[in-house]
């Protein structure tokens, strides 16, 4: 029988034939695709022809099409809808794909061809995009160790394969701990919770085959539970289980893996001549150096910590007034912060959620993209990889630009968090390729599904990433869409969040799911006033994680990461009632792969830009100013990595930004400063 992953997909939009694909198809498809890619790469490396951009770089761009096709389906399914077979195959594939990557990037003959092109780049007649692609290929090979020889080269390959194995294991351990912990809830346990939290807990119980409601570690349930439950002891139990993911002993404990990952990263960097992994990792980013990262984080730390400490005093007073003695604890913060928000802003999530149905917020995100960029969204009928998934054709003036899929609901087979990925990236080489873009979230299901304001912001955030993929307009997939510096990739997503709170968007889309009535003006005012509420807490918990990440990679790898974590938090004076957003054993951003390692700071680096970028629309006097939107698409959303990120941002804004816009946006700017 023909493997459905290896045939030409001839259906509408050339979507994968999900209904025909079984888990048994993936392993042979990877084997065939890897074989084909190896054959194609060998032909390029061993060619007797004089190196040219076409017979080397463009040939490499097209050498692994089958592998990209198979991996695009498999890894999206493995993250969003895991099965035991998929998890086992991920573990098997990790060292094999790492070995294949090393074969390519450490191939001497291939690197010689690329280096020859690089040395003669001024005489090749390349256009600007081709010159950028050549620069990035040369950089990739150099940083991968193409110039290493002998035992050093072999050691580098071994390090990469081992890292691929244990970072995969870290991720699967975390998913296992999240999936396996739950606690049945009695009627007393449900007392005081809003209906939407109770409904979510009952749905979670049904998913796990329980007769009643259960508490799980899904963020869509655990956070509102901590926010609303008056049962302090149960809040403590739930919170401690949440932060203990990856640190429960046994086969799923991640602490030893974290230490090994850090040690191997340090060794990898030193093999390439860098003093630390942070110096190696940050070199191609906008930040460039660990010192620049630390400077940004510490400039924000002082005002954020001051705001958090002031808030903690008020929350402790509220707790003591309730007759609870002792210190304000981490499992108390969200509960008393919500009570304070109701008291001071006359605002709570229960008022907002009926106006923020999932369908309404999807419509808001689509309508905003239509008003800014002229995009149109047509629902697609079809079988996707899970019944929860929805699809749309994305077009402009009758031309199809992309297929967009949304997978919005939490389930046990899905890893936590929210993300955007592409099953197929945009490119023009070899013919126009329409991207297939996927947003994955973990919202609580319901009839209808109602979102918190934070959920709605997450939806807009991930859709900003999707726009970066869907509006990409480059020739080479190597620089397509979100294939940009890590501290630039969050700019489009964080920028898009701003439109959620625009009056024009709320008036049109924030409508009561039962009556269809628009959100009352006074409620919109309260929502706007609460936008910067509790920013001391959220900024401090984020910065704590970012500073620990930097410390892990900035010097010698710690033999005991947990001790190093405690040391860093002690030095910065983390307030008692706030913990890191991601403790080391569940810090998937930096330990489930290299993506955000030494790079968790990038959310804040990008926020400096996104705050400044939205001011461009404010300066134009219109959040939907056509000229500013056109520049945003031209220089940011469609450009991919075709130019250096600082050049792209300067082309859009005319200059690079300062940190003041960020502090202002978070309500942390000292009025006396």
């Amino acid at each position: 029988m023909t493997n459905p992953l290896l045939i030409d997909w001839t259906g509408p939009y050339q979507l994968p034939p999900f209904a025909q694909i079984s888990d048994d198809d993936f392993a042979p498809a990877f084997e065939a695709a890897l074989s084909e890619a190896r054959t194609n790469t060998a032909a390029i490396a061993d060619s007797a022809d004089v190196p040219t951009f076409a017979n080397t770089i463009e040939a490499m761009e097209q050498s692994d099409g089958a592998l990209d096709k198979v991996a695009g389906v498999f890894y999206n399914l493995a993250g969003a809808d895991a099965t035991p077979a998929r998890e086992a195959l991920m573990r098997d594939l990790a060292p094999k794909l790492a070995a294949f990557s090393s074969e390519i990037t450490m191939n001497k003959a291939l690197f010689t061809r690329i280096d020859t092109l690089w040395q003669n780049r001024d005489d090749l007649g390349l256009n600007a995009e081709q010159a950028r692609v050549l620069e990035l290929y040369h950089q990739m090979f150099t940083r991968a160790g193409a110039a290493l020889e002998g035992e050093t080269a072999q050691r580098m390959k071994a390090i990469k394969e081992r890292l691929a194995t244990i970072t995969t294991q870290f991720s699967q351990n975390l998913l296992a701990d999240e999936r396996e912990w739950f606690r049945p809830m009695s009627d007393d346990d449900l007392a005081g919770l809003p209906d939407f939290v109770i409904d979510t807990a009952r749905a979670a119980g049904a998913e796990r085959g329980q007769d009643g409601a259960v508490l799980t570690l899904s963020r869509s349930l655990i956070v509102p539970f901590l926010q609303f439950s008056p049962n302090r002891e149960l809040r403590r139990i739930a919170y401690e289980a949440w932060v203990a993911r990856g640190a429960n002993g046994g086969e799923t404990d991640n602490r030893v893996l974290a230490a090994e990952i850090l040690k191997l990263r340090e060794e990898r960097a030193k093999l390439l001549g860098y003093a630390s992994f942070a110096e190696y990792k940050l070199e191609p980013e906008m930040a460039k150096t660990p010192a620049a990262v630390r400077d940004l984080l510490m400039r924000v730390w002082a005002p954020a910590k001051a705001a958090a400490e002031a808030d903690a005093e008020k929350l402790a007073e509220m707790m003591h007034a309730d007759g609870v003695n002792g210190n304000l604890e981490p499992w108390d913060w969200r509960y008393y912060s919500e009570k304070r928000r109701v008291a001071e802003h006359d605002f709570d999530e229960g008022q907002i959620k009926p106006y923020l149905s999932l369908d309404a917020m999807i419509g808001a995100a689509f309508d905003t993209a239509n008003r800014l960029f002229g995009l149109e969204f047509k629902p697609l009928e079809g079988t996707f990889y899970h019944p929860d998934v929805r699809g749309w054709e994305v077009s402009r003036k009758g031309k199809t630009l992309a297929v967009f899929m949304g997978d919005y609901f939490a389930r046990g087979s899905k890893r936590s968090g929210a993300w955007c990925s592409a099953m197929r990236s945009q490119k023009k080489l070899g013919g126009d390729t329409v991207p297939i873009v996927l947003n994955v979230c973990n919202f609580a299901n319901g009839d209808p599904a109602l979102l918190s304001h934070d959920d709605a912001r997450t939806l807009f955030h991930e859709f900003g990433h999707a726009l970066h993929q869907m509006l990409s307009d480059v020739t080479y997939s190597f620089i397509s869409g979100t294939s940009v510096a890590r501290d630039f990739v969050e700019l489009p997503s964080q920028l898009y969040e701003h439109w959620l709170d625009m009056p024009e968007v709320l008036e049109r889309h924030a409508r009561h799911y039962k009556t269809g009535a628009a959100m009352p003006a006074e409620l919109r005012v309260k929502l706007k006033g609460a936008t910067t509420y509790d920013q001391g807490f959220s900024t401090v918990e984020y910065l704590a994680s970012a500073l620990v990440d930097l410390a892990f990679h900035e010097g010698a790898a710690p033999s005991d990461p947990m001790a190093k974590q405690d040391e860093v938090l002690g030095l910065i004076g983390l307030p008692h009632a706030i913990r890191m957003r991601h403790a080391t054993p569940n810090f998937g951003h930096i330990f489930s792969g290299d993506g955000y390692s030494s790079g968790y700071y990038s959310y804040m680096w990008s926020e400096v830009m996104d705050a400044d970028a939205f001011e461009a629309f404010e300066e134009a006097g219109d959040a939907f100013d056509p000229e500013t939107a056109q520049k945003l698409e031209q220089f940011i959303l469609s450009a991919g990595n075709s130019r250096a990120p600082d050049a792209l941002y300067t082309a859009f804004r005319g200059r690079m930004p300062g940190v003041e816009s960020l502090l202002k946006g978070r309500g942390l700017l000292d009025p006396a400063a």
Side-chain angles (χ1 to χ4, degrees):
M1 182 179 294
T2 303
N3 192 314
L5 289 160
L6 298 174
I7 62 174
D8 290 335
W9 297 336
T10 57
Y13 312 102
Q14 291 77 54
L15 288 172
F18 295 110
Q20 301 173 32
I21 298 170
S22 74
D23 284 351
D24 291 339
D25 293 320
F26 285 113
F30 269 109
E31 184 178 348
L34 279 166
S35 178
E36 178 182 298
R38 284 189 169 100
T39 298
N40 292 340
T41 304
I44 299 167
D46 299 339
S47 173
D49 295 337
V50 174
T52 66
F53 188 84
N55 69 20
T56 303
I57 302 300
E58 289 188 344
M60 288 184 64
E61 281 282 287
Q62 300 180 87
S63 66
D64 56 357
L67 184 58
D68 284 344
K69 182 177 172 181
V70 176
V73 177
F74 175 75
Y75 282 102
N76 277 286
L77 268 60
D81 193 28
T83 65
R86 291 170 189 171
E87 291 185 337
L89 183 55
M90 283 183 72
R91 293 191 293 271
D92 183 56
L93 282 172
K96 292 180 180 178
L97 291 177
F100 171 72
S101 177
S102 292
E103 287 176 29
I104 304 301
T105 54
M106 301 180 74
N107 183 306
K108 296 298 183 184
L110 194 53
F111 180 60
T112 297
R113 294 181 70 85
I114 294 171
D115 192 51
T116 297
L117 293 174
W118 176 247
Q119 300 303 327
N120 296 289
R121 58 191 180 277
D122 294 337
D123 302 321
L124 300 178
L126 304 179
N127 62 34
E129 184 177 335
Q130 290 171 329
R132 176 66 172 167
V133 169
L134 175 59
E135 175 190 2
L136 293 173
Y137 261 92
H138 189 266
Q139 179 187 84
M140 176 180 70
F141 272 71
T142 302
R143 289 172 51 78
L148 299 180
E149 301 283 353
E151 292 183 3
T152 304
Q154 292 305 311
R155 179 57 185 158
M156 177 64 79
K157 291 179 182 178
I159 289 172
K160 291 180 182 179
E161 290 177 33
R162 179 59 181 164
L163 280 170
T165 297
I166 58 179
T167 54
T168 298
Q169 187 63 55
F170 187 101
S171 179
Q172 293 189 352
N173 288 347
L174 180 54
L175 177 59
D177 277 5
E178 291 173 352
R179 185 169 52 209
E180 292 169 10
W181 189 94
F182 68 89
R183 187 184 191 279
M185 299 178 73
S186 66
D187 289 343
D188 288 344
D189 295 335
L190 297 173
L193 295 175
D195 288 344
F196 74 88
V197 181
I198 295 173
D199 290 344
T200 302
R202 286 178 175 155
E207 183 186 4
R208 284 162 176 76
Q210 302 295 304
D211 291 335
V214 302
L215 183 59
T216 73
L217 301 183
S218 169
R219 192 176 185 88
S220 63
L221 178 52
I222 188 74
V223 170
F225 176 82
L226 293 169
Q227 192 175 357
F228 293 106
S229 175
N231 187 330
R232 190 181 192 223
E233 176 59 14
L234 190 51
R235 290 200 312 267
R236 183 193 66 78
I237 292 170
Y239 183 86
E240 294 290 14
W242 190 34
V243 299
R245 291 166 298 156
N248 290 305
E251 293 182 354
T252 63
D253 198 295
N254 278 332
R255 287 171 288 189
V256 172
L257 289 180
E260 185 180 359
I261 289 168
L262 294 174
K263 182 179 179 181
L264 290 173
R265 284 176 178 165
E266 179 191 14
E267 184 181 0
R268 176 182 174 188
K270 289 187 173 179
L271 288 176
L272 294 169
Y274 294 87
S276 69
F277 184 80
E279 289 195 11
Y280 161 75
K281 188 69 187 296
L282 294 172
E283 184 183 53
E285 307 296 328
M286 296 185 75
K288 302 299 183 189
T289 67
V293 172
R294 185 172 296 281
D295 177 67
L296 169 66
L297 297 178
M298 294 309 296
R299 288 180 67 186
V300 182
W301 174 257
K305 181 184 176 185
E309 289 175 333
D311 289 340
E313 291 182 7
K314 295 180 180 179
L315 300 184
E317 290 173 4
M318 295 175 66
M319 185 181 77
H320 296 154
D322 275 352
V324 180
N325 297 319
N327 293 326
L328 182 76
E329 299 292 346
W331 48 88
D332 297 318
W333 190 291
R334 287 177 173 84
Y335 178 70
Y336 283 100
S337 180
E338 178 63 22
K339 293 185 69 171
R340 180 186 172 200
R341 180 164 66 167
V342 172
E344 295 186 3
H345 295 275
D346 189 24
F347 175 89
D348 65 65
E349 290 288 359
Q351 293 176 288
I352 284 288
K353 287 176 77 79
Y355 296 94
L356 303 181
S357 71
L358 174 61
D359 284 349
M361 292 302 96
I362 293 171
F366 287 178
D367 185 41
T368 299
N370 175 264
R371 296 180 68 181
L372 287 169
F373 311 114
L375 301 184
E376 297 179 349
F377 299 82
K378 183 180 75 174
L380 294 178
E381 298 295 331
T383 301
F384 300 107
Y385 63 84
H386 190 279
D388 287 346
V389 181
R390 304 159 67 177
W392 294 266
E393 176 201 37
V394 185
S395 63
R396 180 163 55 191
K397 296 180 179 179
K399 180 183 179 182
T400 300
L401 298 182
V403 172
F404 174 68
M405 293 190 291
D407 182 356
Y408 295 109
F409 299 129
R411 55 180 177 267
S413 62
K414 182 189 290 186
R415 63 180 171 90
S416 64
W419 64 93
C420 175
S421 58
M423 285 194 179
R424 183 173 68 216
S425 297
Q426 179 273 332
K427 65 180 178 68
K428 296 177 183 176
L429 184 67
D432 284 349
T433 297
V434 172
I436 302 172
V437 184
L438 175 65
N439 273 178
V440 182
C441 300
N442 271 278
F443 303 142
N445 205 343
D447 186 20
L450 301 179
L451 307 185
S452 67
H453 185 252
D454 186 59
D455 288 338
R457 187 176 296 280
T458 296
L459 187 148
F460 266 67
H461 178 101
E462 298 307 332
F463 194 72
H465 281 309
L467 287 171
H468 204 178
Q469 295 276 21
M470 295 187 293
L471 289 172
S472 179
D473 187 22
V474 297
T475 300
Y476 303 98
S477 61
F478 192 67
I479 58 168
S480 176
T482 57
S483 300
V484 298
R486 181 63 60 178
D487 50 11
F488 190 68
V489 76
E490 297 297 336
L491 168 60
S493 54
Q494 293 178 182
L495 174 59
Y496 205 66
E497 294 178 28
H498 289 268
W499 276 276
L500 169 62
D501 296 324
M502 290 297 100
E504 305 96 310
V505 175
L506 292 174
E507 287 171 9
R508 183 179 296 188
H509 297 283
R511 294 186 170 268
H512 198 284
Y513 76 98
K514 288 184 178 178
T515 67
M519 183 185 291
E522 60 269 22
L523 191 53
R524 295 202 309 269
V525 171
K526 292 177 185 178
L527 178 61
K528 182 175 178 63
T531 300
T532 59
Y533 177 73
D534 216 17
Q535 280 297 312
F537 169 84
S538 61
T539 306
V540 161
E541 67 163 6
Y542 162 78
L543 286 172
S545 291
L547 286 164
V548 168
D549 167 41
L550 183 64
F552 277 162
H553 297 99
E554 193 175 14
S559 58
D560 184 348
M562 300 304 295
K564 184 65 173 181
Q565 171 188 297
D566 291 344
E567 175 190 333
V568 173
L569 299 182
L571 287 173
I572 62 176
L574 182 68
H576 173 77
I578 304 177
R579 294 187 186 171
M580 295 168 64
R581 181 172 297 177
H582 306 286
T584 295
N586 50 68
F587 205 167
H589 280 77
I590 68 169
F591 289 117
S592 292
D594 273 357
Y596 283 90
S597 55
S598 297
Y600 195 62
Y601 77 92
S602 60
Y603 289 96
M604 185 147 285
W605 190 277
S606 293
E607 190 176 343
V608 171
M609 290 183 287
D610 87 64
D612 178 73
F614 193 72
E615 285 187 356
F617 287 90
E618 293 177 328
E619 291 164 6
D622 180 5
F624 295 91
D625 177 61
E627 182 179 345
T628 308
Q630 190 276 328
K631 289 178 64 178
L632 177 63
E633 178 177 350
Q634 177 184 356
F635 295 116
I636 307 294
L637 297 176
S638 71
N641 201 2
S642 58
R643 296 166 66 184
D646 53 350
L648 289 173
Y649 190 85
T650 301
F652 166 65
R653 195 69 170 101
R655 53 166 174 73
M656 291 298 291
V659 74
E660 291 75 17
S661 294
L662 177 148
L663 295 173
K664 176 183 175 183
R666 285 185 173 242
L668 300 174
L669 193 62
D670 184 354

